[in-house]
Amino acid sequence: KNREDYYQSCSTWNLLSHITVPTIVLTTTDDPFVSYGHYAEAKLSATVHLHVEEFGGHIGDLSKANTPFGSKR
């Protein structure tokens, strides 16, 4: 339907508090698709460690070139 519907039906955001095995969640503050703020606000279980890098873009695609949206990779 739309972006909101997609994220509502596919997101694991509400499951992060139920993870029971040690898990590292990697993200960056410059991800153009998934805002760092969503991770910062998420309720994480005691077994989840949120690791945040300043740069790295989406899925850690590192490059000097800009993304198609103009942000750094």
Side-chain angles (χ1 to χ4, degrees), residues 26-69:
L26 305 172
T27 192
T28 64
T29 59
D30 69 343
D31 187 328
F33 296 106
V34 183
S35 170
Y36 160 70
H38 294 307
Y39 291 105
E41 296 171 5
K43 183 177 178 183
L44 306 176
S45 75
T47 59
V48 174
H49 171 74
L50 177 61
H51 180 87
V52 181
E53 291 289 334
E54 185 175 358
F55 301 108
H58 191 68
I59 30 182
D61 184 16
L62 301 175
S63 172
K64 290 183 179 181
N66 286 348
T67 67
F69 303 103

mmCIF file of all heavy atoms in Angstrom, residues 26-69:
data_model
loop_
_atom_site.group_PDB
_atom_site.id
_atom_site.type_symbol
_atom_site.label_atom_id
_atom_site.label_comp_id
_atom_site.label_asym_id
_atom_site.label_seq_id
_atom_site.Cartn_x
_atom_site.Cartn_y
_atom_site.Cartn_z
ATOM 1 N N LEU A 26 23.562 -3.694 14.512
ATOM 2 C CA LEU A 26 24.459 -2.688 13.953
ATOM 3 C C LEU A 26 23.667 -1.660 13.163
ATOM 4 O O LEU A 26 22.814 -2.016 12.358
ATOM 5 C CB LEU A 26 25.469 -3.346 13.007
ATOM 6 C CG LEU A 26 26.299 -4.479 13.572
ATOM 7 C CD1 LEU A 26 27.095 -5.142 12.463
ATOM 8 C CD2 LEU A 26 27.213 -3.972 14.665
ATOM 9 N N THR A 27 23.965 -0.387 13.383
ATOM 10 C CA THR A 27 23.332 0.674 12.615
ATOM 11 C C THR A 27 24.272 1.860 12.538
ATOM 12 O O THR A 27 25.335 1.869 13.163
ATOM 13 C CB THR A 27 21.970 1.081 13.211
ATOM 14 O OG1 THR A 27 21.281 1.915 12.274
ATOM 15 C CG2 THR A 27 22.124 1.783 14.536
ATOM 16 N N THR A 28 23.872 2.847 11.758
ATOM 17 C CA THR A 28 24.644 4.078 11.642
ATOM 18 C C THR A 28 23.705 5.267 11.816
ATOM 19 O O THR A 28 22.497 5.147 11.632
ATOM 20 C CB THR A 28 25.323 4.194 10.259
ATOM 21 O OG1 THR A 28 24.316 4.291 9.253
ATOM 22 C CG2 THR A 28 26.211 3.001 9.976
ATOM 23 N N THR A 29 24.289 6.392 12.153
ATOM 24 C CA THR A 29 23.471 7.589 12.306
ATOM 25 C C THR A 29 23.131 8.219 10.963
ATOM 26 O O THR A 29 22.277 9.098 10.897
ATOM 27 C CB THR A 29 24.162 8.638 13.192
ATOM 28 O OG1 THR A 29 25.418 8.990 12.603
ATOM 29 C CG2 THR A 29 24.370 8.112 14.598
ATOM 30 N N ASP A 30 23.798 7.763 9.888
ATOM 31 C CA ASP A 30 23.528 8.352 8.571
ATOM 32 C C ASP A 30 22.811 7.402 7.615
ATOM 33 O O ASP A 30 22.830 7.603 6.410
ATOM 34 C CB ASP A 30 24.823 8.862 7.938
ATOM 35 C CG ASP A 30 25.779 7.757 7.523
ATOM 36 O OD1 ASP A 30 25.624 6.610 7.991
ATOM 37 O OD2 ASP A 30 26.700 8.036 6.727
ATOM 38 N N ASP A 31 22.142 6.382 8.144
ATOM 39 C CA ASP A 31 21.386 5.464 7.288
ATOM 40 C C ASP A 31 20.230 6.227 6.651
ATOM 41 O O ASP A 31 19.382 6.774 7.357
ATOM 42 C CB ASP A 31 20.851 4.295 8.114
ATOM 43 C CG ASP A 31 20.197 3.212 7.277
ATOM 44 O OD1 ASP A 31 19.599 3.532 6.234
ATOM 45 O OD2 ASP A 31 20.276 2.041 7.671
ATOM 46 N N PRO A 32 20.180 6.299 5.305
ATOM 47 C CA PRO A 32 19.123 7.067 4.658
ATOM 48 C C PRO A 32 17.762 6.382 4.645
ATOM 49 O O PRO A 32 16.762 7.005 4.308
ATOM 50 C CB PRO A 32 19.644 7.251 3.230
ATOM 51 C CG PRO A 32 20.517 6.074 3.000
ATOM 52 C CD PRO A 32 21.138 5.760 4.331
ATOM 53 N N PHE A 33 17.701 5.103 5.030
ATOM 54 C CA PHE A 33 16.442 4.364 4.978
ATOM 55 C C PHE A 33 15.839 4.098 6.352
ATOM 56 O O PHE A 33 14.632 4.180 6.530
ATOM 57 C CB PHE A 33 16.625 3.031 4.251
ATOM 58 C CG PHE A 33 17.002 3.205 2.815
ATOM 59 C CD1 PHE A 33 18.298 2.945 2.396
ATOM 60 C CD2 PHE A 33 16.084 3.640 1.882
ATOM 61 C CE1 PHE A 33 18.652 3.114 1.077
ATOM 62 C CE2 PHE A 33 16.430 3.815 0.558
ATOM 63 C CZ PHE A 33 17.724 3.552 0.155
ATOM 64 N N VAL A 34 16.675 3.723 7.310
ATOM 65 C CA VAL A 34 16.185 3.404 8.654
ATOM 66 C C VAL A 34 16.810 4.396 9.632
ATOM 67 O O VAL A 34 18.010 4.371 9.878
ATOM 68 C CB VAL A 34 16.537 1.960 9.061
ATOM 69 C CG1 VAL A 34 15.963 1.637 10.430
ATOM 70 C CG2 VAL A 34 16.048 0.967 8.016
ATOM 71 N N SER A 35 15.999 5.250 10.177
ATOM 72 C CA SER A 35 16.489 6.303 11.067
ATOM 73 C C SER A 35 17.074 5.719 12.354
ATOM 74 O O SER A 35 16.481 4.824 12.977
ATOM 75 C CB SER A 35 15.329 7.232 11.424
ATOM 76 O OG SER A 35 15.706 8.109 12.451
ATOM 77 N N TYR A 36 18.215 6.239 12.754
ATOM 78 C CA TYR A 36 18.826 5.824 14.017
ATOM 79 C C TYR A 36 17.852 6.033 15.177
ATOM 80 O O TYR A 36 17.822 5.262 16.125
ATOM 81 C CB TYR A 36 20.120 6.598 14.263
ATOM 82 C CG TYR A 36 20.543 6.579 15.703
ATOM 83 C CD1 TYR A 36 21.002 5.404 16.292
ATOM 84 C CD2 TYR A 36 20.430 7.707 16.501
ATOM 85 C CE1 TYR A 36 21.359 5.365 17.627
ATOM 86 C CE2 TYR A 36 20.786 7.674 17.833
ATOM 87 C CZ TYR A 36 21.251 6.502 18.387
ATOM 88 O OH TYR A 36 21.586 6.464 19.709
ATOM 89 N N GLY A 37 17.036 7.071 15.083
ATOM 90 C CA GLY A 37 16.084 7.366 16.145
ATOM 91 C C GLY A 37 15.148 6.215 16.461
ATOM 92 O O GLY A 37 14.761 6.013 17.605
ATOM 93 N N HIS A 38 14.806 5.425 15.451
ATOM 94 C CA HIS A 38 13.945 4.262 15.690
ATOM 95 C C HIS A 38 14.636 3.253 16.604
ATOM 96 O O HIS A 38 14.015 2.673 17.484
ATOM 97 C CB HIS A 38 13.553 3.584 14.377
ATOM 98 C CG HIS A 38 12.681 4.423 13.510
ATOM 99 N ND1 HIS A 38 11.503 4.998 13.943
ATOM 100 C CD2 HIS A 38 12.813 4.799 12.226
ATOM 101 C CE1 HIS A 38 10.955 5.674 12.977
ATOM 102 N NE2 HIS A 38 11.732 5.590 11.911
ATOM 103 N N TYR A 39 15.920 3.042 16.371
ATOM 104 C CA TYR A 39 16.680 2.124 17.236
ATOM 105 C C TYR A 39 16.840 2.701 18.632
ATOM 106 O O TYR A 39 16.723 1.989 19.628
ATOM 107 C CB TYR A 39 18.062 1.842 16.655
ATOM 108 C CG TYR A 39 18.037 1.034 15.398
ATOM 109 C CD1 TYR A 39 18.266 1.611 14.165
ATOM 110 C CD2 TYR A 39 17.797 -0.340 15.442
ATOM 111 C CE1 TYR A 39 18.255 0.865 13.002
ATOM 112 C CE2 TYR A 39 17.783 -1.106 14.288
ATOM 113 C CZ TYR A 39 18.017 -0.490 13.077
ATOM 114 O OH TYR A 39 18.007 -1.237 11.930
ATOM 115 N N ALA A 40 17.124 3.989 18.711
ATOM 116 C CA ALA A 40 17.332 4.635 20.009
ATOM 117 C C ALA A 40 16.079 4.571 20.877
ATOM 118 O O ALA A 40 16.174 4.502 22.099
ATOM 119 C CB ALA A 40 17.766 6.080 19.797
ATOM 120 N N GLU A 41 14.909 4.576 20.246
ATOM 121 C CA GLU A 41 13.652 4.542 20.982
ATOM 122 C C GLU A 41 13.145 3.127 21.258
ATOM 123 O O GLU A 41 12.236 2.947 22.067
ATOM 124 C CB GLU A 41 12.584 5.300 20.199
ATOM 125 C CG GLU A 41 12.866 6.773 20.045
ATOM 126 C CD GLU A 41 11.905 7.447 19.084
ATOM 127 O OE1 GLU A 41 10.959 6.794 18.597
ATOM 128 O OE2 GLU A 41 12.112 8.639 18.813
ATOM 129 N N ALA A 42 13.727 2.147 20.593
ATOM 130 C CA ALA A 42 13.244 0.769 20.730
ATOM 131 C C ALA A 42 13.542 0.204 22.111
ATOM 132 O O ALA A 42 14.570 0.509 22.717
ATOM 133 C CB ALA A 42 13.889 -0.115 19.664
ATOM 134 N N LYS A 43 12.644 -0.623 22.580
ATOM 135 C CA LYS A 43 12.859 -1.337 23.835
ATOM 136 C C LYS A 43 13.649 -2.594 23.496
ATOM 137 O O LYS A 43 13.165 -3.466 22.761
ATOM 138 C CB LYS A 43 11.526 -1.691 24.495
ATOM 139 C CG LYS A 43 11.685 -2.363 25.827
ATOM 140 C CD LYS A 43 10.343 -2.630 26.470
ATOM 141 C CE LYS A 43 10.557 -3.339 27.788
ATOM 142 N NZ LYS A 43 9.277 -3.696 28.417
ATOM 143 N N LEU A 44 14.858 -2.705 24.024
ATOM 144 C CA LEU A 44 15.733 -3.842 23.742
ATOM 145 C C LEU A 44 15.783 -4.768 24.942
ATOM 146 O O LEU A 44 15.764 -4.319 26.085
ATOM 147 C CB LEU A 44 17.156 -3.356 23.431
ATOM 148 C CG LEU A 44 17.305 -2.308 22.333
ATOM 149 C CD1 LEU A 44 18.758 -1.864 22.236
ATOM 150 C CD2 LEU A 44 16.813 -2.838 21.008
ATOM 151 N N SER A 45 15.870 -6.053 24.686
ATOM 152 C CA SER A 45 16.038 -6.997 25.797
ATOM 153 C C SER A 45 17.467 -6.872 26.328
ATOM 154 O O SER A 45 18.332 -6.260 25.692
ATOM 155 C CB SER A 45 15.771 -8.434 25.338
ATOM 156 O OG SER A 45 16.863 -8.920 24.580
ATOM 157 N N ALA A 46 17.710 -7.457 27.474
ATOM 158 C CA ALA A 46 19.034 -7.399 28.094
ATOM 159 C C ALA A 46 20.087 -8.121 27.258
ATOM 160 O O ALA A 46 21.282 -7.884 27.434
ATOM 161 C CB ALA A 46 18.969 -8.002 29.497
ATOM 162 N N THR A 47 19.658 -8.979 26.344
ATOM 163 C CA THR A 47 20.612 -9.737 25.528
ATOM 164 C C THR A 47 20.955 -9.022 24.214
ATOM 165 O O THR A 47 21.767 -9.513 23.442
ATOM 166 C CB THR A 47 20.059 -11.138 25.195
ATOM 167 O OG1 THR A 47 18.831 -10.992 24.484
ATOM 168 C CG2 THR A 47 19.846 -11.952 26.458
ATOM 169 N N VAL A 48 20.359 -7.866 23.981
ATOM 170 C CA VAL A 48 20.600 -7.132 22.736
ATOM 171 C C VAL A 48 21.509 -5.936 23.005
ATOM 172 O O VAL A 48 21.257 -5.132 23.907
ATOM 173 C CB VAL A 48 19.273 -6.640 22.110
ATOM 174 C CG1 VAL A 48 19.540 -5.760 20.898
ATOM 175 C CG2 VAL A 48 18.416 -7.827 21.719
ATOM 176 N N HIS A 49 22.569 -5.840 22.210
ATOM 177 C CA HIS A 49 23.481 -4.699 22.277
ATOM 178 C C HIS A 49 23.327 -3.894 20.999
ATOM 179 O O HIS A 49 23.476 -4.441 19.904
ATOM 180 C CB HIS A 49 24.935 -5.170 22.432
ATOM 181 C CG HIS A 49 25.923 -4.061 22.294
ATOM 182 N ND1 HIS A 49 26.125 -3.125 23.276
ATOM 183 C CD2 HIS A 49 26.735 -3.727 21.273
ATOM 184 C CE1 HIS A 49 27.036 -2.268 22.865
ATOM 185 N NE2 HIS A 49 27.429 -2.603 21.648
ATOM 186 N N LEU A 50 23.034 -2.617 21.127
ATOM 187 C CA LEU A 50 22.913 -1.731 19.981
ATOM 188 C C LEU A 50 24.258 -1.064 19.748
ATOM 189 O O LEU A 50 24.760 -0.330 20.592
ATOM 190 C CB LEU A 50 21.840 -0.675 20.228
ATOM 191 C CG LEU A 50 21.652 0.376 19.136
ATOM 192 C CD1 LEU A 50 21.242 -0.277 17.814
ATOM 193 C CD2 LEU A 50 20.630 1.414 19.566
ATOM 194 N N HIS A 51 24.865 -1.341 18.592
ATOM 195 C CA HIS A 51 26.153 -0.741 18.223
ATOM 196 C C HIS A 51 25.894 0.274 17.120
ATOM 197 O O HIS A 51 25.366 -0.074 16.070
ATOM 198 C CB HIS A 51 27.136 -1.811 17.739
ATOM 199 C CG HIS A 51 28.458 -1.236 17.362
ATOM 200 N ND1 HIS A 51 29.465 -1.057 18.285
ATOM 201 C CD2 HIS A 51 28.925 -0.776 16.179
ATOM 202 C CE1 HIS A 51 30.501 -0.520 17.679
ATOM 203 N NE2 HIS A 51 30.198 -0.333 16.391
ATOM 204 N N VAL A 52 26.286 1.531 17.363
ATOM 205 C CA VAL A 52 26.005 2.614 16.421
ATOM 206 C C VAL A 52 27.318 3.231 15.945
ATOM 207 O O VAL A 52 28.159 3.621 16.758
ATOM 208 C CB VAL A 52 25.142 3.704 17.084
ATOM 209 C CG1 VAL A 52 24.825 4.810 16.102
ATOM 210 C CG2 VAL A 52 23.868 3.104 17.657
ATOM 211 N N GLU A 53 27.470 3.305 14.622
ATOM 212 C CA GLU A 53 28.590 4.018 14.006
ATOM 213 C C GLU A 53 28.061 5.324 13.440
ATOM 214 O O GLU A 53 26.899 5.421 13.053
ATOM 215 C CB GLU A 53 29.214 3.184 12.883
ATOM 216 C CG GLU A 53 29.938 1.943 13.361
ATOM 217 C CD GLU A 53 31.240 2.264 14.088
ATOM 218 O OE1 GLU A 53 31.841 3.323 13.828
ATOM 219 O OE2 GLU A 53 31.654 1.439 14.923
ATOM 220 N N GLU A 54 28.918 6.318 13.367
ATOM 221 C CA GLU A 54 28.480 7.614 12.828
ATOM 222 C C GLU A 54 28.228 7.534 11.323
ATOM 223 O O GLU A 54 27.270 8.104 10.813
ATOM 224 C CB GLU A 54 29.529 8.681 13.123
ATOM 225 C CG GLU A 54 29.100 10.066 12.700
ATOM 226 C CD GLU A 54 30.094 11.142 13.092
ATOM 227 O OE1 GLU A 54 31.118 10.831 13.728
ATOM 228 O OE2 GLU A 54 29.836 12.311 12.755
ATOM 229 N N PHE A 55 29.104 6.831 10.610
ATOM 230 C CA PHE A 55 28.988 6.736 9.159
ATOM 231 C C PHE A 55 28.901 5.284 8.721
ATOM 232 O O PHE A 55 29.345 4.395 9.418
ATOM 233 C CB PHE A 55 30.184 7.398 8.476
ATOM 234 C CG PHE A 55 30.344 8.846 8.823
ATOM 235 C CD1 PHE A 55 31.366 9.258 9.642
ATOM 236 C CD2 PHE A 55 29.453 9.796 8.338
ATOM 237 C CE1 PHE A 55 31.517 10.593 9.972
ATOM 238 C CE2 PHE A 55 29.594 11.137 8.671
ATOM 239 C CZ PHE A 55 30.638 11.533 9.490
ATOM 240 N N GLY A 56 28.363 5.057 7.568
ATOM 241 C CA GLY A 56 28.254 3.712 7.019
ATOM 242 C C GLY A 56 27.059 3.566 6.113
ATOM 243 O O GLY A 56 26.961 2.632 5.349
ATOM 244 N N GLY A 57 26.120 4.512 6.210
ATOM 245 C CA GLY A 57 24.956 4.444 5.341
ATOM 246 C C GLY A 57 24.115 3.209 5.594
ATOM 247 O O GLY A 57 24.122 2.647 6.677
ATOM 248 N N HIS A 58 23.411 2.788 4.575
ATOM 249 C CA HIS A 58 22.540 1.618 4.688
ATOM 250 C C HIS A 58 23.329 0.359 4.383
ATOM 251 O O HIS A 58 24.023 0.281 3.387
ATOM 252 C CB HIS A 58 21.359 1.763 3.727
ATOM 253 C CG HIS A 58 20.286 0.762 3.943
ATOM 254 N ND1 HIS A 58 19.496 0.760 5.077
ATOM 255 C CD2 HIS A 58 19.867 -0.272 3.196
ATOM 256 C CE1 HIS A 58 18.640 -0.228 5.006
ATOM 257 N NE2 HIS A 58 18.839 -0.869 3.873
ATOM 258 N N ILE A 59 23.255 -0.619 5.218
ATOM 259 C CA ILE A 59 23.981 -1.892 5.147
ATOM 260 C C ILE A 59 25.490 -1.720 4.983
ATOM 261 O O ILE A 59 26.152 -2.525 4.362
ATOM 262 C CB ILE A 59 23.424 -2.875 4.084
ATOM 263 C CG1 ILE A 59 22.791 -2.226 2.898
ATOM 264 C CG2 ILE A 59 22.562 -3.909 4.700
ATOM 265 C CD1 ILE A 59 22.213 -3.194 1.876
ATOM 266 N N GLY A 60 26.025 -0.664 5.554
ATOM 267 C CA GLY A 60 27.470 -0.485 5.600
ATOM 268 C C GLY A 60 28.138 -0.349 4.251
ATOM 269 O O GLY A 60 29.295 -0.709 4.094
ATOM 270 N N ASP A 61 27.440 0.167 3.287
ATOM 271 C CA ASP A 61 28.000 0.337 1.947
ATOM 272 C C ASP A 61 28.916 1.550 1.958
ATOM 273 O O ASP A 61 28.479 2.678 1.808
ATOM 274 C CB ASP A 61 26.865 0.524 0.929
ATOM 275 C CG ASP A 61 27.370 0.606 -0.495
ATOM 276 O OD1 ASP A 61 28.528 0.223 -0.748
ATOM 277 O OD2 ASP A 61 26.603 1.049 -1.361
ATOM 278 N N LEU A 62 30.212 1.308 2.162
ATOM 279 C CA LEU A 62 31.163 2.394 2.288
ATOM 280 C C LEU A 62 31.729 2.789 0.939
ATOM 281 O O LEU A 62 32.208 1.952 0.180
ATOM 282 C CB LEU A 62 32.303 1.983 3.224
ATOM 283 C CG LEU A 62 31.870 1.595 4.636
ATOM 284 C CD1 LEU A 62 33.056 1.092 5.425
ATOM 285 C CD2 LEU A 62 31.216 2.761 5.339
ATOM 286 N N SER A 63 31.685 4.060 0.653
ATOM 287 C CA SER A 63 32.193 4.570 -0.616
ATOM 288 C C SER A 63 32.353 6.074 -0.494
ATOM 289 O O SER A 63 31.678 6.714 0.307
ATOM 290 C CB SER A 63 31.222 4.245 -1.751
ATOM 291 O OG SER A 63 31.606 4.892 -2.932
ATOM 292 N N LYS A 64 33.252 6.648 -1.292
ATOM 293 C CA LYS A 64 33.387 8.096 -1.322
ATOM 294 C C LYS A 64 32.243 8.734 -2.102
ATOM 295 O O LYS A 64 31.955 9.907 -1.955
ATOM 296 C CB LYS A 64 34.724 8.494 -1.931
ATOM 297 C CG LYS A 64 35.898 8.158 -1.033
ATOM 298 C CD LYS A 64 37.191 8.633 -1.645
ATOM 299 C CE LYS A 64 38.341 8.301 -0.717
ATOM 300 N NZ LYS A 64 39.619 8.767 -1.243
ATOM 301 N N ALA A 65 31.594 7.944 -2.937
ATOM 302 C CA ALA A 65 30.502 8.460 -3.761
ATOM 303 C C ALA A 65 29.237 8.641 -2.921
ATOM 304 O O ALA A 65 29.004 7.920 -1.959
ATOM 305 C CB ALA A 65 30.209 7.503 -4.914
ATOM 306 N N ASN A 66 28.429 9.597 -3.306
ATOM 307 C CA ASN A 66 27.143 9.800 -2.640
ATOM 308 C C ASN A 66 26.159 8.717 -3.067
ATOM 309 O O ASN A 66 26.290 8.131 -4.150
ATOM 310 C CB ASN A 66 26.554 11.163 -2.999
ATOM 311 C CG ASN A 66 27.282 12.294 -2.300
ATOM 312 O OD1 ASN A 66 28.057 12.076 -1.394
ATOM 313 N ND2 ASN A 66 27.024 13.496 -2.754
ATOM 314 N N THR A 67 25.157 8.483 -2.239
ATOM 315 C CA THR A 67 24.069 7.577 -2.597
ATOM 316 C C THR A 67 23.209 8.266 -3.657
ATOM 317 O O THR A 67 23.354 9.479 -3.877
ATOM 318 C CB THR A 67 23.187 7.257 -1.378
ATOM 319 O OG1 THR A 67 22.504 8.450 -0.993
ATOM 320 C CG2 THR A 67 24.000 6.707 -0.212
ATOM 321 N N PRO A 68 22.286 7.550 -4.268
ATOM 322 C CA PRO A 68 21.374 8.204 -5.225
ATOM 323 C C PRO A 68 20.553 9.317 -4.580
ATOM 324 O O PRO A 68 20.021 10.175 -5.276
ATOM 325 C CB PRO A 68 20.472 7.051 -5.687
ATOM 326 C CG PRO A 68 21.292 5.829 -5.484
ATOM 327 C CD PRO A 68 22.124 6.110 -4.264
ATOM 328 N N PHE A 69 20.458 9.320 -3.254
ATOM 329 C CA PHE A 69 19.695 10.341 -2.544
ATOM 330 C C PHE A 69 20.562 11.514 -2.111
ATOM 331 O O PHE A 69 20.094 12.433 -1.460
ATOM 332 C CB PHE A 69 18.999 9.726 -1.329
ATOM 333 C CG PHE A 69 18.113 8.590 -1.684
ATOM 334 C CD1 PHE A 69 18.501 7.282 -1.461
ATOM 335 C CD2 PHE A 69 16.886 8.803 -2.296
ATOM 336 C CE1 PHE A 69 17.692 6.219 -1.796
ATOM 337 C CE2 PHE A 69 16.062 7.740 -2.650
ATOM 338 C CZ PHE A 69 16.472 6.446 -2.410
#
